[in-house]
């Protein structure tokens, strides 16, 4: 009994000491040469699986591999690494292995690559040509070529687990030393030299020229313009008055039995008289303003400005500056 216990402990130690092997899911061997029947192709696929098992990797069971092929629903693993990635995940393996076979009368060509379940291609593509002996069957040449291909793919050296990327420690940059600003010395104030007194007394500068006051000429222009407006307004009024005497009675009513033309003349006469009175009023106001400006003009020129503007029913005069 004691011997059995010791033997079991030794056996357990051997099992524990054995390193873990990477788990792979081999995609069915793809035969690129036509003319081989289905039974022969299935036999070659079995040979490839057995040879792969002898390389030191753990191959998933046929049941899992068959289920992975059925669920994959893709046929581009020959060219797309993402296809092998999905196949390895569906096959519950860390790696997906693809192998192809091309047969000729004198040789066979095997090629393959390995893709991890995160999409990284870890090995391949590798291609190897194996010469066939005269009348040698394909499976015999395949048994010689596959070990060489798997050795080239370095299957036995694949890590059993995905390595963890170690982030390098961040380099802490020392803080920059702030240099104090240089003290800039203000420039010396140079005192201007005092002018030398030559003993010559200069006369005081003349006073600035006096500006001529614009009040008087403005008043003259305003008075003349006002007189012209008053005369023009009076003339308009007299024309309207003359027309009114022909068609209106002294009390301002239209004469009896007046025609339409006489009625129109009466209306025109009334408008002319109104306009004449308004224009004459503006002229009189402007004339009076001009006379006032001439009377208020100072004897000495001063800074004064005058502006006259006609308004409805009269006129406005604006005087700015210094008045006496």
């Amino acid at each position: 009994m004691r011997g059995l216990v010791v033997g079991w402990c030794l056996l357990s130690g051997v099992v524990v000491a054995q390193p873990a092997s990477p788990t792979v899911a081999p995609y069915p061997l793809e035969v690129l040469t036509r003319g081989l029947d289905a039974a022969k192709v299935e036999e070659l696929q079995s040979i490839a699986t057995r040879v792969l098992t002898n390389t030191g990797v753990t191959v998933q069971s046929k049941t899992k591999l068959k289920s992975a092929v059925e669920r994959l629903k893709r046929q581009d693993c020959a060219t797309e690494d993402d296809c092998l990635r999905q196949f390895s995940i569906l096959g519950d393996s860390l790696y997906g292995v693809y192998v192809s076979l091309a047969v000729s009368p004198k040789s066979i060509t095997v090629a393959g690559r390995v893709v991890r379940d995160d999409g990284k291609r870890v090995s391949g593509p590798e291609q190897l040509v194996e010469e066939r002996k005269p009348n040698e069957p394909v499976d015999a040449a395949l048994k010689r070529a596959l070990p060489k291909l798997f050795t080239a793919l370095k299957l036995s050296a694949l890590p059993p687990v995905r390595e963890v990327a170690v982030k390098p420690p961040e380099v802490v940059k020392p803080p920059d030393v702030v240099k104090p600003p240089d003290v800039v010395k203000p420039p010396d104030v140079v005192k201007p030299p005092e002018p030398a007194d030559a003993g010559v007394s200069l006369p005081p500068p003349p006073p600035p020229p006096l500006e001529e006051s614009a009040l008087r000429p403005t008043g003259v222009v305003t008075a003349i313009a006002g007189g012209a407006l008053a005369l023009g307004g009076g003339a308009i009024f007299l024309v309207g008055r003359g027309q009114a005497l022909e068609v209106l009675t002294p009390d301002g009513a239209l004469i009896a039995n007046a025609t339409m033309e006489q009625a129109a003349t009466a209306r025109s006469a009334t408008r002319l008289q109104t306009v004449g009175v308004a224009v004459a009023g503006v002229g009189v106001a402007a004339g009076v303003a001009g006379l006032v400006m001439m009377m208020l003009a100072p004897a000495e020129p001063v800074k004064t400005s005058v502006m006259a503007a006609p308004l409805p029913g009269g006129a406005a005069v604006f005087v700015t500056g210094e008045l006496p």
Side-chain angles (χ1 to χ4, degrees):
M1 183 66 179
R2 182 179 300 176
L4 292 176
V5 173
V6 172
W8 174 254
C9 292
L10 292 175
L11 180 60
S12 300
V14 171
V15 173
V16 173
Q18 288 181 353
S21 58
T23 305
V24 300
Y27 190 79
L29 175 69
E30 187 168 3
V31 180
L32 304 178
T33 302
R34 297 181 181 181
L36 298 178
D37 55 10
K40 189 64 175 179
V41 171
E42 186 176 355
E43 180 185 355
L44 295 176
Q45 290 178 349
S46 300
I47 293 174
T49 303
R50 290 197 302 270
V51 175
L52 179 63
T53 306
N54 296 330
T55 60
V57 298
T58 300
V59 181
Q60 285 292 10
S61 63
K62 292 183 179 180
T63 304
K64 283 190 176 183
L65 295 177
K66 182 179 180 181
S67 175
V69 171
E70 293 175 352
R71 290 185 295 163
L72 181 60
K73 298 180 180 180
R74 295 183 61 169
Q75 297 180 354
D76 56 349
C77 288
T79 57
E80 298 296 328
D81 290 345
D82 187 67
C83 178
L84 276 182
R85 178 190 68 82
Q86 294 183 22
F87 184 72
S88 65
I89 295 174
L90 294 175
D92 195 19
S93 301
L94 183 60
Y95 303 97
V97 181
Y98 172 84
V99 177
S100 64
L101 169 66
V103 181
S104 68
K106 295 184 178 181
S107 65
I108 64 170
T109 301
V110 290
R113 71 185 194 283
V114 182
V115 177
R116 200 166 57 190
D117 63 351
D118 59 354
K120 180 181 179 180
R121 185 188 301 179
V122 296
S123 183
E126 296 289 344
Q127 180 174 308
L128 186 143
V129 178
E130 181 71 18
E131 299 293 335
R132 295 175 61 183
K133 299 177 182 179
N135 300 324
E136 183 181 26
V138 177
D139 53 354
L142 182 63
K143 292 179 182 179
R144 293 198 313 273
L146 285 179
K148 299 177 183 179
L149 175 65
F150 294 151
T151 300
L153 291 175
K154 301 178 181 179
L155 293 180
S156 59
L158 293 177
V161 294
R162 187 186 309 114
E163 66 273 10
V164 179
V166 179
K167 185 178 180 181
E170 296 182 358
V171 179
V172 180
K173 184 180 179 181
D176 297 333
V177 179
V178 180
K179 182 181 179 181
D182 297 334
V183 179
V184 180
K185 182 179 179 182
D188 297 335
V189 179
V190 180
K191 185 177 180 181
E194 298 181 356
D197 187 4
V200 179
S201 59
L202 300 177
L210 298 177
E211 298 182 359
E212 183 180 358
S213 174
L215 187 59
R216 184 177 296 278
T218 304
V220 173
V221 173
T222 304
I224 294 174
L229 286 174
L231 292 177
I236 295 172
F237 176 79
L238 292 177
V239 172
R241 183 61 180 169
Q243 292 179 357
L245 292 177
E246 296 177 359
V247 294
L248 297 176
T249 61
D251 56 357
L254 187 63
I255 61 177
N257 301 322
T259 64
M260 294 181 64
E261 295 181 357
Q262 290 174 336
T265 303
R267 289 193 296 270
S268 175
T270 302
R271 285 196 297 269
L272 289 175
Q273 293 181 74
T274 303
V275 174
V277 171
V279 174
V282 173
V284 172
V288 172
L291 293 175
V292 172
M293 286 186 286
M294 288 188 294
M295 293 173 58
L296 296 179
E300 296 180 358
V302 294
K303 294 182 179 180
T304 307
S305 62
V306 180
M307 181 178 65
L311 297 175
V317 178
F318 301 94
V319 181
T320 60
E322 181 180 353
L323 298 177

